[in-house]
Amino acid sequence: MHKTYSIENEVSPTDNKEQIEKAALNKWKQIYKNYRADEVVAYLEENQASFDLFGDKPFYQVTRTQYNELVPDNKQINAKKLKDLNNRANDSVAVTGTITVKQFKRTISESSNTPNLFASESERYKNKITFDELARWLISFQGYTATSDKTTIKNKEKFSKSPGWLFKINPVFAVGNDMFDTLMLNLKLDSPNKQKPVWEYDNPLTYIDKLRTLDKPNNITELYTNLSRAVCIEWDDFGRPAIFSAGLPQFDSADYYNVEPMTSWRVLKKDIVLPNTKKPDEFTTALWRSIGEFIPLPHVEIQDGTKDNSKKRKSPKTKKPLQETPNVGLMEWLTLLRNNSITESILTNKTLTLKNVLLLKSQQADGLPVDDFNDSFDFNADLLVPTDSDSSDLAHGDVKFLIADALERIRLVHNALALAAKDIAELRYGEKGQNNSKFVNEQVKSLYNKLDDSFNEWFSSIDPTGDLVEKSDELNEVLRKITYNFKSKLYVSASSKEINGTTVETKVGKTVNKNIYTVLNSFDFKIRNILR
């Protein structure tokens, strides 16, 4: 759709940003209102040969001749290897230079040396594949490739094999009422650059020569059809595929936010901007905890009462972040759709879903996919309307302050609970007990297990024109119940060791008794200040 509905022929190099956006929005509205995609069908029919898995220009592949031209002599597909294909005892045997179907399927990703004991398919079917499955896995393989294969193309200079573009980002997309609505919400048309998917190159070798230069694609269709491997699929006399794969160079992902719209970003030292990626320990972290990465929020400061117990909590203050992190391109596009007069009526008061789906790669050298992440949160599109971000009074402030304020309170509750759990663990297991970290992690995990559904429900029901004070109190009450249950559970399970406590020295040199009552009283004091 990005290719067929590109505005490259409707704008000129001299047009400014406002003119380009106007052309993009008018084009988008026309497509949305017609509820048709005739141009897409016409393009597919016109380029039908480009989507054939076989023939002289196989889809997402190279021919045997092209493959042999790309790889070193000892990696080429020769008569001996073709004979070995037919002589395989079964389809799980990998011929030299190939990857098996079970490794090619990203839900299995099983190498010949390391069996996947908990695979989604039985041993009998791991290496079976239909043509339609092959097409889908071919696309997925190019996006989530890993680095387990040994063959690379010939090149004058050494290069790092691409792990697949999707492995290098934290991909998100918007979900609408149906498939058409979803496609349209993610159809970001405000780029005047020529859209050129990989299959429009005259020859795969021409495209691969461009990859050798490490030039970044300047358009979204080329980026999302980017090849990480030169793949050649040979078929033996029994109809069994053998997948030859050669690594291709990867281009740099730094400072690429003007092209890549479907990920959040992080700023490193020297102002280098890279796509966000999920670490293994973040795969149990709900997406709502990263809302600030997708909807720009003001900075909020809240007193928890520990610095000066004689003073009441000050009114939250806002300040600009120290560093500017680029916004998610998709969210900027949705904001434009919601606020521009051309399209605002379509998104007004519309419930949108932001979905985050990705594969987790192994921390081993092969980097194969080992798990998947799938989470989302719903929100009212009216949250994207610009508001007075300088206000710090919920009664007269803006909805983004409400969200930032809520996330900051949750962060402080997390910290207070984790500290209390640490103190209880030390009473229970000793100051350096082996189970201390496990106990703290279990308590924090329990907090979020109880909070995840409640927060998503609370967030999706926010009405930017409603009573924000009442909405804030609603979440505070949820947090009070969770923290009350945390205290009650610990009181009930307290041992005599925790009740009697131990003598500790404070920072000012005083000797005091620390027991479960003093620990939870301190916790309770913080919670009252945080949630008042």
Side-chain angles (χ1 to χ4, degrees), residues 423-522:
D423 288 339
I424 297 297
E426 290 176 356
L427 291 172
R428 183 174 296 186
Y429 304 113
E431 189 173 346
K432 297 182 179 180
Q434 292 183 344
N435 292 320
N436 288 12
S437 295
K438 181 182 178 182
F439 179 80
V440 174
N441 291 336
E442 286 174 350
Q443 302 308 312
V444 171
K445 183 178 179 181
S446 177
L447 164 68
Y448 287 109
N449 285 343
K450 293 178 173 66
L451 187 55
D452 284 347
D453 289 341
S454 297
F455 185 90
N456 279 328
E457 184 179 343
W458 175 84
F459 185 72
S460 64
S461 64
I462 292 175
D463 178 3
T465 62
D467 187 333
L468 302 188
V469 174
E470 181 181 330
K471 203 65 186 170
S472 178
D473 290 342
E474 183 182 313
L475 183 62
N476 285 349
E477 188 57 33
V478 172
L479 291 169
R480 286 190 189 96
K481 289 179 179 178
I482 292 174
T483 53
Y484 176 82
N485 290 335
F486 165 76
K487 291 186 302 179
S488 299
K489 183 178 177 181
L490 290 177
Y491 277 132
V492 170
S493 62
S495 64
S496 58
K497 192 176 180 181
E498 294 164 54
I499 294 171
N500 295 329
T502 184
T503 301
V504 297
E505 188 174 317
T506 66
K507 292 180 180 179
V508 295
K510 288 181 64 176
T511 301
V512 297
N513 181 258
K514 182 170 78 171
N515 55 52
I516 191 169
Y517 301 108
T518 60
V519 169
L520 294 182
N521 282 344
S522 175

Side-chain angles (χ1 to χ4, degrees), residues 2 28 172-175 181-188 220 262 330 333-334:
H2 280 93
W28 189 92
V172 294
F173 59 96
V175 179
D181 200 33
T182 296
L183 289 171
M184 289 302 301
L185 290 172
N186 296 282
L187 182 60
K188 188 174 183 290
I220 192 172
M262 314 290 276
L330 172 64
W333 172 248
L334 293 174

